[in-house]
Amino acid sequence: MSYKTLLTVLTTPANTDTQLEQSISLTRLADGHVDALCLGVDRTQTGYYYAGANAMVLQETLARAKEEVSGIEATATERLTRSAVSFNVETGVAQMADIGRHVARLARFCDLVVLGQPYGKDRPAEAEAIVEAALFEGRAPVLVVPDDAPLPAQPKTVLVAWNESIEAMTAIRKALPMLQAADVVRVVVIDPPQHGPERSDPGGLLCQMLSRHGVKCEIDVLSKTMTRVSDVLNRHAVDTAADLIVMGAYGHSRFREAILGGATRNMLEKAKVPVMMAH
């Protein structure tokens, strides 16, 4: 089992280098293929044009999006050609509300989607929608890569956030190639429930399953000493020099996480190392 088809979605020049380099690195390991979707995004909200505005406004914004995507396409094609990996570059122009359809169409036929962090300085407005489209509509695992912390070709230490949820198990199964390649996988359990099914051996059954796949596991049971679970995971990742965090995405609704916050949203915003998520 390996990641033979990788997808990355490029919408601004700012995030191009990190995503392309990470995709190329992972593709070389599996002798795979990279699909680069270059999207020019019309970020205007057409429902809020001033009275009397006409089709010329829409035409202008679409022309600007086409011009922007041509530069992104040229950069992606040049870099992928130089890398000598198998690749395909596809371009298109989309309005904000229609991005999910374009991403999901390709995401459902790939093994892994490689994206940049959707939150933070200079992040485009569409970045969050792209991550969610890959997770929910494409049903693909997503590797979110910070600009200054790419995933090594051979990760040594991987943290697995385990809370007994369906989302966490889905992410773990889809991360198996990376877990098998790691020197050690640390199954992290934060404040396990006293009356849960794993109360006497938190993470034990998961480690048993992973060990049968050749994964070298250790279990870290941590207390929630910080307000957010994501903060505890990030601190533990730093303390253990982890290269990657694997976790389930959106155990609660996206709307609830957008309004109240949640482990997924906070991790996507503050991650210090790459995060692999699935829903």
Side-chain angles (χ1 to χ4, degrees), residues 8-271:
T8 190
V9 183
L10 309 170
T11 61
T12 66
N15 64 3
T16 300
D17 288 345
T18 299
Q19 292 176 220
L20 285 175
E21 293 302 325
Q22 188 70 83
S23 300
I24 291 167
S25 173
L26 293 173
T27 299
R28 283 175 173 155
L29 284 178
D31 190 24
H33 176 89
V34 178
D35 283 325
L37 175 59
C38 303
L39 281 179
V41 181
D42 172 12
R43 300 180 180 89
T44 58
Q45 300 294 327
T46 55
Y48 296 93
Y49 284 151
Y50 58 84
N54 55 36
M56 290 297 293
V57 179
L58 179 60
Q59 190 65 34
E60 182 180 344
T61 58
L62 289 176
R64 190 182 305 124
K66 288 179 181 178
E67 182 179 350
E68 186 176 58
V69 77
S70 64
I72 298 171
E73 178 191 14
T75 299
T77 301
E78 187 277 330
R79 181 63 191 93
L80 289 166
T81 300
R82 187 155 41 91
S83 73
V85 300
S86 172
F87 74 92
N88 178 63
V89 176
E90 184 173 328
T91 64
V93 174
Q95 292 183 306
M96 285 286 290
D98 196 37
I99 286 176
R101 178 173 63 89
H102 295 275
V103 175
R105 179 176 59 84
L106 294 179
R108 64 171 56 103
F109 297 109
C110 76
D111 299 313
L112 182 65
V113 182
V114 179
L115 300 172
Q117 283 179 289
Y119 306 109
K121 184 180 179 182
D122 298 328
R123 299 299 170 184
E126 67 276 3
E128 181 180 17
I130 291 171
V131 171
E132 293 186 354
L135 287 170
F136 287 87
E137 283 73 49
R139 293 292 174 179
V142 174
L143 179 66
V144 178
V145 186
D147 289 340
D148 56 352
L151 179 68
Q154 295 290 344
K156 293 184 178 180
T157 301
V158 177
L159 298 190
V160 169
W162 178 237
N163 62 357
E164 304 178 34
S165 69
I166 294 172
E167 292 82 10
M169 182 56 79
T170 300
I172 291 164
R173 286 196 169 108
K174 292 184 176 180
L176 262 178
M178 292 188 184
L179 303 184
Q180 291 168 323
D183 290 348
V184 62
V185 172
R186 310 186 74 93
V187 175
V188 180
V189 184
I190 300 174
D191 277 354
Q194 295 181 357
H195 304 290
E198 296 188 357
R199 59 187 179 276
S200 61
D201 185 19
L205 287 175
L206 176 61
C207 281
Q208 182 182 80
M209 182 196 85
L210 291 176
S211 66
R212 289 170 179 161
H213 286 278
V215 178
K216 306 172 188 66
C217 297
E218 296 182 7
I219 299 175
D220 296 337
V221 179
L222 306 178
S223 297
K224 189 181 175 184
T225 55
M226 306 174 77
T227 304
R228 302 184 187 278
V229 169
S230 55
D231 292 335
V232 178
L233 286 172
N234 270 321
R235 184 178 64 182
H236 197 56
V238 173
D239 291 344
T240 58
D243 299 307
L244 174 69
I245 296 174
V246 175
M247 62 183 291
Y250 294 103
H252 300 295
S253 72
R254 285 174 283 177
F255 177 77
R256 175 177 170 179
E257 293 222 2
I259 301 300
L260 301 177
T264 304
R265 184 180 178 90
N266 292 320
M267 181 60 75
L268 289 174
E269 183 175 0
K270 300 178 180 178

